[in-house]
Amino acid sequence: MILHELISFENLRLIWWLLLGLLLIGFALTDGFDMGVGMLLPFVAKSDVERRVVINTVGPVWEGNQVWFILGGGAIFAAFPPLYAVSFSGFYLAMFAILSALIIRPVAFKFRSKREDPTWRNRWDKALFFSGVAPALLFGVAVGNVLLGVPFHLTPDLHAIYEGSALGKLFGLLRPFALLCGIVSVAMLVMHGAGWLVLKTEGAVAERARVLGSRAALVVLAGYALAGLWLAVGVDGYALVGQVAHDGPSNPLASEVLHDHSWLRAYADRPWIAIAPLMGFGGTFMAWRALQNGGQLSPLGWSKMAIFGMISSVGLTLFPFLLPSNTNPDSSLTIWDASSSHLTLFVMLMATVIFLPLILVYTAWVYRVLWGKVTEDDVTDPDHHAY
């Protein structure tokens, strides 16, 4: 009886919403410090040897970290196919820019060390910087646009229609609130990258990372607070009207949605979710304090808590919405009406129960093997493989 309740259609939809959130948070926690290190590279490393030290802190792990991005995209595709279809179609150029940056990064890692020419290496260093800042900014902008609502509507046969041209859709994403979310995202990952560099490097590189990470933490605190205030007084939220069939067929047009509703009503209806923004603020403040006070492991640990809290606060505020529509609110996608079938969600869950623990164990083993600081002697030793 308990197992039957657990694998009900309603519970499977909720479980996959939680798993999707955890996969995206996992991506931010792991690949996020890779992006932060790329953004910090031109500022914390002044010589070629220092740049090689910085690059080699993430060189052995960045490929494994991107697994979480692939898992998150796969979960969207398989668990919530309407979300995948609508979002990837509407955000096509933005997604292309993100993927281009993520493709440039491995090329930069592999080709930078092929020649000792300073001009050659400086170009690849700029590529690494771009491959960090572009995804961080655009992911934040995307989150801001989801909170604002996206200009699409569904036809009776569930075909998604977006307003405007392709370029118009791209530049239309750059709304003030969305840009603020993008800035918070960039600063958050810079703080996270600084925590990683403090843990993995020493000397001047680590000290510069402390200074820049502390400044980024202050930007995160101010930007996150401003975004919350803006969300409370300047952004209309969404709410489902009437009874919703949590175990009914997936048909977004079957629900009635109200678009004159504060997103922060979620905290009145479910006060316990306030723990998420508290973790965001508290983790960021403690990361700033740890960076100021010379902590080694603690800045990275506190920044992980901050990222977990901030991303969770977005998901919990939006719940049960996945992608609201600001041109036709009744076309908005929720976890109750945009999921795959009961059988698909169950089969996927069984596969996840088997393989996700294996990924976690392997990832933990890799970080255990690679534990320790990267030094200048490591990257200049001809017998030591380095980027």
Side-chain angles (χ1 to χ4, degrees):
M1 180 63 70
I2 295 176
L3 180 61
H4 183 268
E5 289 289 334
L6 178 64
I7 62 174
S8 68
F9 200 9
E10 176 183 354
N11 284 342
L12 285 174
R13 283 169 161 167
L14 185 59
I15 288 169
W16 271 104
W17 174 77
L18 290 169
L19 284 173
L20 176 59
L22 290 175
L23 291 173
L24 295 179
I25 290 171
F27 170 62
L29 293 179
T30 55
D31 211 39
F33 67 70
D34 295 350
M35 297 179 195
V37 167
M39 288 185 277
L40 286 167
L41 178 62
F43 308 104
V44 299
K46 302 302 181 181
S47 66
D48 182 65
V49 172
E50 288 182 345
R51 292 191 186 99
R52 292 184 65 199
V53 167
V54 170
I55 291 170
N56 277 273
T57 64
V58 297
V61 297
W62 68 266
E63 288 176 291
N65 292 341
Q66 287 199 154
V67 166
W68 297 100
F69 179 65
I70 297 169
L71 290 175
I76 294 174
F77 172 77
F80 300 103
L83 173 63
Y84 180 90
V86 174
S87 60
F88 278 61
S89 297
F91 297 157
Y92 181 80
L93 290 180
M95 292 290 183
F96 182 80
I98 291 172
L99 291 175
S100 297
L102 295 179
I103 291 170
I104 287 173
R105 180 169 57 177
V107 177
F109 277 131
K110 299 299 182 182
F111 279 82
R112 184 190 187 277
S113 61
K114 299 302 181 182
R115 294 173 58 185
E116 296 185 2
D117 179 27
T119 302
W120 169 269
R121 293 191 170 184
N122 286 336
R123 288 172 180 167
W124 290 118
D125 292 342
K126 292 176 181 177
L128 287 171
F129 173 79
F130 170 77
S131 68
V133 71
L137 178 65
L138 291 174
F139 279 131
V141 167
V143 169
N145 275 278
V146 171
L147 289 165
L148 291 170
V150 180
F152 76 94
H153 69 272
L154 299 175
T155 64
D157 60 355
L158 300 183
H159 178 62
I161 305 295
Y162 274 82
E163 296 183 358
S165 63
L167 285 176
K169 285 185 286 187
L170 175 62
F171 292 108
L173 298 176
L174 305 179
R175 293 180 276 182
F177 176 77
L179 284 173
L180 173 62
C181 294
I183 292 170
V184 172
S185 176
V186 169
M188 178 180 73
L189 296 188
V190 167
M191 173 185 72
H192 198 41
W196 177 256
L197 287 177
V198 166
L199 176 66
K200 296 292 290 183
T201 65
E202 57 189 14
V205 171
E207 291 308 310
R208 295 181 194 122
R210 286 187 187 279
V211 172
L212 293 174
S214 299
R215 294 173 183 174
L218 295 177
V219 173
V220 174
L221 286 171
Y224 190 47
L226 178 58
L229 180 62
W230 197 332
L231 203 63
V233 300
V235 178
D236 288 333
Y238 296 75
L240 291 171
V241 178
Q243 294 294 323
V244 179
H246 295 171
D247 57 355
S250 292
N251 179 9
L253 295 178
S255 301
E256 183 180 353
V257 178
L258 175 67
H259 182 31
D260 185 14
H261 185 87
S262 172
W263 278 125
L264 299 192
R265 280 283 300 277
Y267 294 88
D269 297 337
R270 293 169 279 129
W272 62 269
I273 69 174
I275 191 174
L278 289 177
M279 288 176 64
F281 280 115
T284 303
F285 173 77
M286 292 303 295
W288 171 80
R289 191 169 180 270
L291 288 166
Q292 290 283 312
N293 294 341
Q296 291 289 313
L297 179 60
S298 55
L300 184 66
W302 288 118
S303 71
K304 287 179 180 291
M305 173 179 162
I307 291 171
F308 186 95
M310 283 187 276
I311 296 178
S312 297
S313 69
V314 174
L316 292 169
T317 299
L318 281 166
F319 182 86
F321 288 92
L322 296 170
L323 191 67
S325 167
N326 60 15
T327 54
N328 183 9
D330 289 344
S331 295
S332 300
L333 306 180
T334 75
I335 69 169
W336 310 125
D337 56 27
S339 75
S340 292
S341 69
H342 189 177
L343 178 61
T344 300
L345 295 181
F346 174 74
V347 172
M348 288 172 55
L349 182 61
M350 293 301 99
T352 302
V353 168
I354 296 171
F355 291 107
L356 186 58
L358 296 177
I359 294 172
L360 291 172
V361 170
Y362 175 74
T363 301
W365 177 78
V366 167
Y367 279 94
R368 176 66 183 86
V369 170
L370 297 173
W371 188 259
K373 292 185 179 291
V374 179
T375 66
E376 293 187 3
D377 290 340
D378 291 332
V379 300
T380 56
D381 184 354
D383 296 327
H384 182 84
H385 176 72
Y387 287 91

